[in-house]
Structure formats: structure tokens, C-alpha cells
Amino acid sequence: MIQRICEDIPDDLLGIIIGFSQNGTVVSCSEDGLRELGYVQEDEFTISQLMPVFKEKSMQEIQASLKTEGEYIAYRKNQTSFFVKVLLKQCHYGNAEYLCRLIPWQEHKRLEKEVEQTNRKLKEALQAKNEMISNTTHELRTPLNGIKGQIDYLMMQTEMTEEQDKTLQIVMQCCANMQQIINDILDFSKMEAGKIKLERLQFSLKNVMNYVVDTNIKQANAKGIQLNVHISEEIPEQLYGDGLRLGQILNNLISNGVKFTSFGSVRVEVNKVASSGNRIELLFMVIDTGIGISPENQTKLFKSFSQVDGSITRKYGGTGLGLAISKELVSMMDGFIHLESEVGRGSTFAFTAVLHTDDKPETEVVQKQKYDFTKLLFTKYKENSGAVYVWNSPENKLELKQDLEKLVLSIEILNWNRVEIFAQKIKELMQGAEQEILKQLIKMEMAIRREDHDRSLLEYEQLVKILKDKDSV
Ligand code: ADP
């Protein structure tokens, strides 16, 4: 008696589903399949009647010999035949030991063609959409620049009342907002099409920062919040990379910080995480004391067109593209972006980026000085003593262990100055550590900078756990 294949296999699953016993007898079959083959439940038949090519072969041998792209002939009860693609899997299903799916070949080919066509249509549609976006954004830019130029002219040439001047300032701000939206949409569509390429040009980090601060200072002043920047002295003044795109990421994070903060400050810190050869990895943190983001909303961020809730959008405006673009740009700079936030207390957006100290191709440096490169990556010259510390060496492990103990003690007694000192030492000892460890270190650093006792402890414990798992302490 052939069992019906259970309801848990969807009816619309393509092809005939058959269950075989170990010796190749059909023990179950989908209802449509049975009908297609011309059998009834009371019948008895085997795999060699169904597909004579497998005669005298065990199920195991059949499974081993099946060609995924192969075409086989299956026979109905009335001996008419049809071409099929065969998928066979050993699995216990009811009283079956093997489950088999026969897909009529024509149907299979038709489907393959359909998928191909759908993919092609999708690609064409995406291309058409991107072209349309690029054309319309270009068309929008021209009149917008015209409006801005005319207003500038009006403001310079005409005597105006205070009221009129205020109105024009608002119009100018609206134009700037609109320009930002146009740029975001254009960037996003370019990103989707994989058309954004990063430059490697010389730039001054200070100049980039000054530019971003200049762009946001007016709004910060108007809201009465402070905007401070601190760049670590360890970072060379001149760097190589895409300064414009770096500025774009920073501008997005800082303008969000200013936008979503009503009291307090937006602080930007730039530190060196590691350097090797001509590569230098920097950590940027944008710390605000604004409205914060709830844990469930944090998961929605970094996705395109995502804003955490409608009321915020209505109050603050924006497209929800800035963070998605920033995330993509950060990953193009071999970095990662991370958010720590608490509702009502503020947010810290941190990201790393790999830049360069000269314009020589990286591979050349790596190949030419392979030994030096690894040595540089995994060693740290201890200040004063001149001793060399190698990541994961016994000396490094010992020192790390001691500094971690001092750090946790300082957190416990809320001595944040000491905490900062030990965190800095630990960071130095961790040069050359795995990404997972560095990522966790950054999380702990962020909690420390916010002087958040509970969070610092939590991140500390997580860091120690990872270090132990990797046998690095
Ligand atoms: P938008 O152009 O809308 O600002 P973003 O991608 O830059 O787009 O930000 C998406 C959403 O993330 C914002 O609408 C806001 O809800 C939230 N957000 C971003 N930065 C902050 C911040 N510093 N503080 C609070 N919420 C923020």
C-alpha cells in the first residue's frame, strides 16, 4: 500500500515526490505524482520499474551515481515515458528511507529559463531606475543651484528688512536640505550600482574636520550646544585616502548628533587603533548627549530609508539614507561602524577606517617587506624600556592580565582618570589582535568614555571572555 506523502510537503512543490524503502520499493508518493504516473495506492512498484536505468542498483549506488544536471527517463504504469531531473536524498520520512523528487525535464528547463529572464528583467529595471535617478537628480540640481544663486544675489545687492532677510535665510536652509537629499539619493543609487570608487589622494585630517565643523557649527550654536573635536597627536597630519568621502561620513554623523541633541554637546574623537606598513587604522567617535535610540530601533538603523519612527521624521526631517550610505562607505574603507545608545542619555556612533601614510600601493609594501610588515603588525615597542611586546607572547599576556585587573578595579571605584590610563595601555598591548577583540575593546572604550559604570563592567567582562576564548590572557 503506497502511503500518501504527508500534508507538510506543500502541494505546489514542483515535480513528483516519492518515498523509497531501503530496497527501492515505492512506499509513499505525492497525490499528484501518483496520478501522473498512473498508479493507485494499492499498487506496488519499485525504482527499477519507474526508471529502468537503475535496475539492479542499490539505493546507495543510485544516489552516488546521480548527476545533478543529468536527464533521466521515467516510465508511467502504462509504459509511456518522459524526461526527468532526479533529486534523491537519504532521509527518514514516515516509512521511507529515501526521498526522491522527479522534475519533468521540460518543466525544469522552462523554470530555469523563467528565472534567467526574471533576473535579466530585474537587472534591466535596476539599471533603468538608476539612470532615471541619476537624470532626475541632475535635472533637480540645476534649478536648485539657480535658486541659490539668485537668493545670494538678492541678499548681497538688496537692502532688506530684518523680516525679509530671515525669510531668505529660511529659503536658503531649505535649499541646502534639498541639496542634501538629492546628493543622498544619487549616492545611494550609485552605491546600488557599485559605481562608487574611493580615491587615494593626500589630505589633511585637520582640514577635513575643520570643514565638517564649519558646516555644522552654525546649527550647533543656534541650539546652544557645544561641538568639540579632539584628534590624537599620534595621527600624522597628512594622510592618503578619500578625504571627501571621510568628510561625508563624519558630516552625516555629526549633523545627526547636532540634529538630535537639544542640550549638552556633540564631541568628536579621533584615535589611532593600529598601523602597519603604510596602513593606519583610525577610530572615529561621535558622542552626543541627545535623545538616544532605543534598543529595538537600533536594529533598524543602517538600513536604507530607515528612520526609527514617524514622529521623529516629522519633527527632524531627513531621508533615512545617511547611515546606510555611511555604513557602505565605512566598509569600503575596510572599517566597521558601531552604535551605542541609551534613550535620553545620548548616542555614540563609532567607526574605524583604514587610511594610508603614503600613496604607494599597499601590496608592494606588503610584498617587499613581508617580514617587516608582520613584525610591525604584531609588535609593540614598550615605551621607556624599549622592550618588544608581541601580541599573544607570554610577556604580552602577563602584562595584559595585570592591566585588565587594574582596569576593572578602577572601574569599580569609579576612578575614571585611572580607567582611561589603563584602557589606553590595554589598547597599546592589543595592537595586532584579532578584529573581534578590537571591536569589543572599542565597545568597552565607548562605555568608559561615557563614564557608564555598569556598561563598562559588562563590556569589560565580554572582552575578558573573548580574550580567554582565544587564549590571549
Ligand atoms: P536621516 O537623513 O533621516 O537623518 P540617517 O540614516 O542619517 O537619516 O538616520 C536615520 C535615523 O536614525 C534618523 O532619522 C534618526 O531617527 C536616527 N538617528 C541617527 N542619528 C541619531 C542620533 N545621533 N541620535 C538619535 N537618533 C539618531
Side-chain angles (χ1 to χ4, degrees), residues 252 256-257 259-260 288 291-293 301 306-308 312 317-323 347 349:
N252 180 246
N256 276 348
K259 185 153 93 171
F260 296 107
D288 70 53
I291 59 171
I293 306 165
L301 290 184
S306 147
Q307 284 168 323
V308 294
I312 289 181
T319 52
L321 282 178
L323 288 178
S347 312
F349 282 87

Side-chain angles (χ1 to χ4, degrees), residues 45-202:
F45 65 108
T46 62
I47 192 157
S48 44
Q49 282 165 278
L50 189 65
M51 287 177 284
V53 66
F54 297 136
K55 210 167 171 181
E56 283 165 14
K57 277 194 178 163
S58 71
M59 290 304 286
Q60 250 167 338
E61 284 167 338
I62 297 172
Q63 191 182 14
S65 70
L66 273 182
K67 297 180 211 89
T68 29
E69 286 310 311
E71 189 176 322
Y72 296 88
I73 302 174
Y75 285 82
R76 299 185 182 89
K77 189 177 176 182
N78 64 11
Q79 292 309 299
T80 55
S81 63
F82 57 110
F83 286 102
V84 286
K85 183 177 152 69
V86 183
L87 304 169
L88 183 66
K89 216 174 169 225
Q90 186 168 22
C91 60
H92 300 284
Y93 182 83
N95 51 353
E97 294 292 326
Y98 284 84
L99 265 188
C100 174
R101 193 167 153 207
L102 301 182
I103 308 171
W105 193 249
Q106 272 171 344
E107 188 65 0
H108 172 67
K109 281 281 153 205
R110 185 185 63 75
L111 263 188
E112 249 186 15
K113 225 171 161 182
E114 229 171 62
V115 170
E116 220 172 80
Q117 274 174 355
T118 316
N119 274 343
R120 209 186 51 235
K121 275 187 197 156
L122 259 174
K123 257 193 197 155
E124 284 169 3
L126 198 69
Q127 198 177 341
K129 187 196 81 179
N130 284 334
E131 270 171 28
M132 196 270 283
I133 288 178
S134 136
N135 289 340
T136 32
T137 43
H138 181 75
E139 291 302 319
L140 281 170
R141 266 184 185 165
T142 318
L144 194 62
N145 285 335
I147 297 171
K148 278 173 68 185
Q150 292 301 317
I151 295 173
D152 259 344
Y153 180 76
L154 209 65
M155 284 168 100
M156 277 193 295
Q157 303 291 320
T158 323
E159 263 313 300
M160 276 184 296
T161 63
E162 205 177 308
E163 190 72 6
Q164 284 168 329
D165 191 56
K166 238 184 189 168
T167 310
L168 285 187
Q169 298 272 9
I170 295 172
V171 178
M172 271 307 244
Q173 187 53 49
C174 292
C175 286
N177 292 348
M178 203 162 152
Q179 196 157 30
Q180 184 58 45
I181 294 171
I182 293 171
N183 290 346
D184 277 358
I185 294 177
L186 190 61
D187 266 352
F188 185 72
S189 100
K190 272 196 203 155
M191 248 165 209
E192 238 186 9
K195 279 193 184 152
I196 289 199
K197 299 267 174 296
L198 294 189
E199 306 264 16
R200 169 117 57 111
L201 299 172
Q202 191 179 22

Side-chain angles (χ1 to χ4, degrees), residues 30 32 43 48 102 109 121 133 144 180 278 280 337 378 416:
S30 55
D32 287 350
D43 284 333
S48 44
L102 301 182
K109 281 281 153 205
K121 275 187 197 156
I133 288 178
L144 194 62
Q180 184 58 45
N278 61 349
I280 176 161
I337 192 162
F378 291 103
W416 294 107

Side-chain angles (χ1 to χ4, degrees), residues 311-375:
S311 60
I312 289 181
T313 314
R314 278 190 296 282
K315 187 166 170 200
Y316 297 97
T319 52
L321 282 178
L323 288 178
I325 294 171
S326 299
K327 186 179 174 199
E328 191 63 35
L329 288 175
V330 165
S331 99
M332 288 172 85
M333 292 183 189
D334 286 342
F336 55 84
I337 192 162
H338 178 75
L339 162 69
E340 292 269 311
S341 187
E342 212 177 298
V343 173
R345 286 196 64 184
S347 312
T348 300
F349 282 87
F351 70 94
T352 56
V354 173
L355 298 162
H356 294 86
T357 47
D358 58 41
D359 58 353
K360 292 194 191 81
E362 203 163 281
T363 44
E364 241 180 64
V365 176
V366 175
Q367 274 162 13
K368 255 197 259 162
Q369 308 177 351
K370 206 160 188 186
Y371 175 69
D372 283 346
F373 176 80
T374 22
K375 201 173 151 202

Side-chain angles (χ1 to χ4, degrees), residues 234-235 271-275 280-284 351-353 427-428 430-432 438 441-442 445:
E234 280 184 290
I235 303 170
N271 285 296
K272 187 173 106 178
V273 181
S275 63
I280 176 161
E281 190 170 5
L282 302 184
L283 166 68
F284 297 81
F351 70 94
T352 56
K427 196 159 97 182
E428 283 174 12
M430 279 188 182
Q431 285 214 31
L438 293 177
L441 174 72
I442 290 167
E445 256 196 299

